[in-house]
């Protein structure tokens, strides 16, 4: 298999500069949307439907969905759930269908659809499973960082570097961002939590007293699954890495 290419987009505001056609796009929002989605799928949730806006998501409750809404780090008014991965642990919502809208992550998912071969969601909690799956596919990869309200953020970009680091044997770097984030991750991988404590969004979340969420989001390889968008729903696919 010839080497494929991997590149990094640092914000949904920049995704128009990247070619999506026939690529696998990995959307990442470490604090906390994609980490929460993987936690939900890894704990028995049937599917997650990403929704761009609060009103559309709220209306899905009448169709049997559990609704999860977050804006600016807090649970949106009138929603059953916010954006905490811990809410799904121990199978709390097993066999339920979730409709979810968040400040950054669901927007990035929406902007990743046009022309792409597949859309996956990535997180540290399923890092190796995602890397293994991508290596098994014969497609170029774009890592799409959700960022914060259109701006670069540290945690998503660091995840991009971690994924690039695992892919480098089988992929070529198609942008300087991939090279830079690989170096940043490898320089700080022994203390991710310490390095990311200075991240602006980590500080926003700490102001909401949800340090346990941050710790969970920085945990490695808790779930041997990928999260894949199929017919507008994110579903889990088990990955055997050995």
């Amino acid at each position: 298999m010839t080497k494929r290419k991997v590149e990094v987009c640092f914000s949904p505001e920049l995704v128009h500069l990247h070619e999506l056609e026939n690529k696998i796009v990995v959307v990442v929002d470490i604090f906390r949307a994609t980490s929460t989605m993987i936690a939900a799928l890894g704990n028995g949730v049937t599917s997650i439907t990403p929704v761009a806006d609060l009103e559309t998501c709220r209306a899905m409750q009448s169709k049997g969905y559990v609704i999860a809404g977050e804006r600016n780090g807090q649970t949106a008014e009138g929603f059953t759930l916010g954006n905490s991965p811990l809410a799904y642990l121990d199978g709390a919502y097993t066999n339920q269908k979730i409709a979810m809208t968040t400040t950054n992550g669901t927007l990035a998912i929406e902007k990743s659809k046009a022309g792409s071969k597949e859309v996956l969601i990535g997180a540290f909690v399923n890092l190796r499973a995602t890397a293994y799956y991508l290596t098994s596919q014969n497609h170029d990869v774009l890592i799409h960082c959700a960022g914060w309200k259109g701006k670069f953020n540290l945690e998503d970009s660091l995840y991009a570097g971690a994924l690039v680091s695992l892919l480098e044997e089988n992929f070529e770097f198609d942008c300087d961002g991939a090279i830079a984030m690989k170096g940043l991750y490898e320089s700080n991988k022994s203390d991710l939590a310490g390095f990311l404590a200075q991240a602006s969004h980590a500080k926003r979340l700490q102001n909401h007293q949800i340090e346990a969420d941050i710790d969970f989001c920085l945990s490695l390889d808790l779930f041997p699954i990928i999260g894949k968008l199929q017919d507008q729903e994110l579903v889990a696919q088990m990955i055997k890495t050995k």
Side-chain angles (χ1 to χ4, degrees), residues 12 29 33 37 48-60 68-72 76 79 98-113 229 232 234:
D29 183 356
M37 291 168 176
I48 300 168
T49 301
V51 181
D53 65 273
L54 290 167
E55 288 309 312
T56 301
C57 192
R58 190 178 283 114
M60 293 181 73
E70 172 269 331
R71 287 297 182 269
N72 300 316
F79 282 74
I98 309 293
M100 182 181 295
T101 182
T102 70
T103 305
N104 305 293
T106 50
L107 173 64
I109 291 170
E110 184 63 33
K111 287 193 171 188
S112 298
K113 294 177 181 178
L229 193 65
Q232 310 306 311
L234 289 162

Side-chain angles (χ1 to χ4, degrees), residues 32-88:
R32 294 167 285 167
T34 57
S35 301
T36 296
M37 291 168 176
I38 294 297
L41 293 172
N43 279 275
V45 163
T46 301
S47 68
I48 300 168
T49 301
V51 181
D53 65 273
L54 290 167
E55 288 309 312
T56 301
C57 192
R58 190 178 283 114
M60 293 181 73
Q61 188 170 30
S62 64
K63 300 177 182 179
Y65 288 81
V66 177
I67 56 172
E70 172 269 331
R71 287 297 182 269
N72 300 316
Q74 296 185 294
T75 302
E77 185 177 353
F79 282 74
T80 305
L81 294 164
N83 194 18
S84 173
L86 305 185
Y88 297 92

Side-chain angles (χ1 to χ4, degrees), residues 30-236:
I30 292 299
F31 295 152
R32 294 167 285 167
T34 57
S35 301
T36 296
M37 291 168 176
I38 294 297
L41 293 172
N43 279 275
V45 163
T46 301
S47 68
I48 300 168
T49 301
V51 181
D53 65 273
L54 290 167
E55 288 309 312
T56 301
C57 192
R58 190 178 283 114
M60 293 181 73
Q61 188 170 30
S62 64
K63 300 177 182 179
Y65 288 81
V66 177
I67 56 172
E70 172 269 331
R71 287 297 182 269
N72 300 316
Q74 296 185 294
T75 302
E77 185 177 353
F79 282 74
T80 305
L81 294 164
N83 194 18
S84 173
L86 305 185
Y88 297 92
L89 301 187
D90 300 320
Y93 292 90
T94 297
N95 299 325
Q96 300 269 12
K97 300 180 77 170
I98 309 293
M100 182 181 295
T101 182
T102 70
T103 305
N104 305 293
T106 50
L107 173 64
I109 291 170
E110 184 63 33
K111 287 193 171 188
S112 298
K113 294 177 181 178
S116 57
K117 176 68 176 177
E118 290 180 349
V119 177
L120 307 182
I121 52 170
F124 284 114
V125 294
N126 73 329
L127 175 63
R128 289 193 177 274
T130 302
Y132 189 88
Y133 176 79
L134 294 172
T135 301
S136 74
Q137 304 299 300
N138 193 26
H139 294 282
D140 295 340
V141 172
L142 172 66
I143 306 167
H144 186 182
C145 301
W148 175 256
K149 297 185 177 180
K151 298 178 181 178
F152 172 95
N153 78 13
L154 199 54
E155 62 274 11
D156 297 348
S157 305
L158 203 64
Y159 168 88
L163 186 54
V164 169
S165 183
L166 289 177
L167 295 178
E168 68 173 328
E169 185 175 336
N170 297 289
F171 286 76
E172 297 176 341
F173 304 146
D174 202 34
C175 68
D176 289 351
I179 300 169
M181 291 307 102
K182 174 180 176 290
L184 186 67
Y185 167 74
E186 291 178 351
S187 296
N188 294 281
K189 63 181 180 180
S190 62
D191 186 18
L192 286 181
F195 182 67
L196 286 173
Q198 62 192 316
S200 58
H201 197 37
K203 292 177 180 177
R204 290 186 200 100
L205 295 179
Q206 287 166 352
N207 290 336
H208 299 313
Q209 286 78 53
I210 48 180
E211 288 85 353
D213 279 12
I214 295 174
D215 291 343
F216 181 91
C217 293
L218 297 180
S219 301
L220 290 172
D221 302 317
L222 300 180
F223 303 104
I225 64 171
I226 59 168
K228 182 186 294 189
L229 193 65
Q230 293 183 345
D231 298 325
Q232 310 306 311
E233 294 182 331
L234 289 162
V235 296

